[in-house]
Amino acid sequence: ALSLEHDDPATFVAQFSGADRPVADYLAGEVLERLPDDVVDFMLKTSVVEDLSVDLAARLSGRDDSAAMLDNLARRNALVVPLDRSGTWFRYHALLRSYLAAALQRRDLGEVARLRVIAAQWFLEQRDPARALALASEAGDSDLVEQVLLAHGLGLTLAGAGRCVRRAIDLLPPSQDGSPTVLVHRALLAVDEGDLGAADEALAALTAVPDDGSDRRMTSLRKAVALHRARRAADLAVAHASDSVEDPGPYRLTADLDPDVRLLMLADRGALRLFAGDHQRAREDLLKAIHLAEAAGLHSIELHCRNLVAGTHVADDDFLQARVAAENAIAFAGVRGWDRTPNLAYSYMMAGWAAFQVLRPEEASTWAAISLDVIATTIDVDVEGAARTGEAII
């Protein structure tokens, strides 16, 4: 404990990896024993989160002097670390936090759940649904998990946080399996994971639960996920049968749709319109989806839509615009380190096909080879089909 105050305490603490549990317990215990009881209580209550803001600490501990408490702790030892220069965010050293968490659970397991719910609600207020969902799941608060899923599950999935959503659903008790919120997200995740059998099973169970229209968000989510399933399978028969390509049908984009629902439906409807030969309206849908994705910072689905815009120009035999759109998508992905992602295979092939059509065979072969090189087994069937067929022709 005295060694924490030597010239380089951070290095000293870092030497304790925590692999030796007795050593970790001894170190953390010695640190806590040197602190007043009210300070230890403050640390115990605030140990339920990894990154701790002053405001969140006040909410968890009920103390108005949380800023001074954290600042003082950071000054006294190397186990409490400030994360910014303004003294707003802090983090307990992992070794200390694990000790505090265990001590809090031994003291009152119910208090752990209560504090996690408080933290989850705080993160919701701060528009950080991923951490809110994780904390609500850890707290075992099924109602709060469903609340976060309904409001933010689709947005999290579109942002690439599908694992967070999947984990939250898997932690729910079996009694929640028939919930529309759970079913709609199971279907959404299954489609994105390529498990269309599981998606159909969830959608069938969802259909068996009547929708009285009282929850507009749920009503629109049902439509969006059904359309997403049809698009992922490139199933034009299902798309036409459900009238999903035409505006008057059940997939009409009403003005009251939430932005994330509208984004998914525009992207999927644009893809289906492209496959059905309605190139102009497909491009209109996709460009609107790109605008929404840009505003929300959802780069993955934006790339998906940029890919398909190139496809609409190829379908119109406008190879100059197709090449521009494809290379724009490739550049967009490149600056984000996604130049080898399977999702970019479509744009590589569109660039190759455009080059082939304007009699640039070497350039066409290069793009086509890259397209096949980045394809993975989980890629969309329509994309893989286009890539392999195009490469064979070239």
Side-chain angles (χ1 to χ4, degrees):
L2 292 174
S3 298
L4 289 176
E5 297 176 356
H6 74 24
D7 293 339
D8 191 4
T11 300
F12 179 86
V13 172
Q15 294 173 358
F16 290 90
S17 65
D20 187 342
R21 190 71 250 177
V23 173
D25 285 346
Y26 174 79
L27 177 61
E30 286 293 323
V31 171
L32 295 181
E33 284 183 5
R34 302 167 64 201
L35 299 173
D37 290 345
D38 65 320
V39 176
V40 174
D41 183 69
F42 171 86
M43 296 176 72
L44 287 169
K45 289 179 177 177
T46 55
S47 66
V48 295
V49 294
E50 183 174 354
D51 295 338
L52 182 66
S53 80
V54 169
D55 185 56
L56 178 54
R59 187 81 64 88
L60 290 168
S61 67
R63 296 185 62 132
D64 296 331
D65 60 346
S66 293
M69 293 279 286
L70 288 167
D71 183 65
N72 185 46
L73 284 167
R75 291 176 184 276
R76 290 183 62 170
N77 64 69
L79 295 179
V80 182
V81 183
L83 299 180
D84 56 18
R85 294 184 178 181
S86 62
T88 303
W89 285 87
F90 295 82
R91 176 182 294 167
Y92 294 135
H93 189 282
L95 185 151
L96 176 61
R97 182 168 173 259
S98 65
Y99 182 91
L100 290 168
L104 183 63
Q105 286 187 335
R106 288 193 298 268
R107 186 173 81 172
D108 187 345
L109 191 59
E111 186 178 18
V112 175
R114 182 184 67 81
L115 291 168
R116 283 174 175 165
V117 168
I118 291 173
Q121 292 168 337
W122 186 88
F123 278 114
L124 273 182
E125 294 170 10
Q126 306 305 311
R127 299 182 181 180
D128 190 344
R131 282 199 269 196
L133 185 58
L135 284 161
S137 297
E138 291 168 3
D141 190 327
S142 301
D143 291 339
L144 183 56
V145 169
E146 285 214 31
Q147 175 189 330
V148 179
L149 279 176
L150 180 60
H152 303 287
L154 175 56
L156 288 170
T157 304
L158 293 177
R163 289 185 179 180
C164 171
V165 176
R166 166 67 69 190
R167 181 173 182 274
I169 289 176
D170 290 344
L171 287 176
L172 286 171
S175 59
Q176 304 293 115
D177 285 346
S179 159
T181 300
V182 172
L183 290 171
V184 79
H185 287 91
R186 281 197 187 281
L188 176 67
L189 292 170
V191 170
D192 286 346
E193 292 163 359
D195 190 348
L196 296 185
D200 289 341
E201 183 179 338
L203 287 171
L206 186 62
T207 302
V209 181
D211 179 18
D212 59 9
S214 60
D215 189 332
R216 291 183 178 180
R217 171 77 174 176
M218 177 52 63
T219 298
S220 61
L221 278 173
R222 284 172 177 250
K223 294 179 180 180
V225 173
L227 181 62
H228 194 51
R229 189 265 180 250
R231 174 263 174 277
R232 179 64 74 173
D235 193 338
L236 291 181
V238 171
H240 285 302
S242 62
D243 202 18
S244 59
V245 177
E246 299 301 326
D247 280 340
Y251 300 105
R252 181 171 59 89
L253 301 179
T254 57
D256 60 351
L257 283 179
D258 291 335
D260 55 349
V261 177
R262 178 177 291 275
L263 169 57
L264 182 64
M265 294 186 74
L266 280 168
D268 286 334
R269 196 178 67 174
L272 285 169
R273 282 177 164 167
L274 170 59
F275 304 151
D278 191 353
H279 309 148
Q280 179 60 39
R281 290 206 294 172
R283 189 156 52 246
E284 291 172 359
D285 277 349
L286 293 167
L287 290 174
K288 290 176 183 176
I290 289 171
H291 178 73
L292 286 173
E294 284 178 334
L298 298 173
H299 302 311
S300 180
I301 194 168
E302 181 179 349
L303 174 59
H304 165 73
C305 294
R306 285 177 177 271
N307 285 332
L308 294 181
V309 167
T312 66
H313 290 299
V314 166
D316 283 338
D317 295 333
D318 187 347
F319 301 114
L320 176 60
Q321 288 302 316
R323 180 181 180 183
V324 170
E327 291 184 354
N328 282 343
I330 292 167
F332 175 85
V335 298
R336 290 164 177 80
W338 296 348
D339 53 317
R340 306 301 296 175
T341 177
N343 294 335
L344 200 53
Y346 191 81
S347 279
Y348 283 131
M349 179 47 62
M350 291 303 98
W353 190 247
F356 179 73
Q357 292 295 331
V358 297
L359 306 181
R360 295 183 179 180
E362 291 185 3
E363 182 182 335
S365 295
T366 298
W367 286 124
I370 296 174
S371 177
L372 287 190
D373 190 43
V374 301
I375 282 180
T377 56
T378 55
I379 202 164
D380 290 0
V381 291
D382 49 291
V383 174
E384 183 167 358
R388 296 193 182 282
T389 303
E391 192 272 345
I393 294 172
I394 290 170

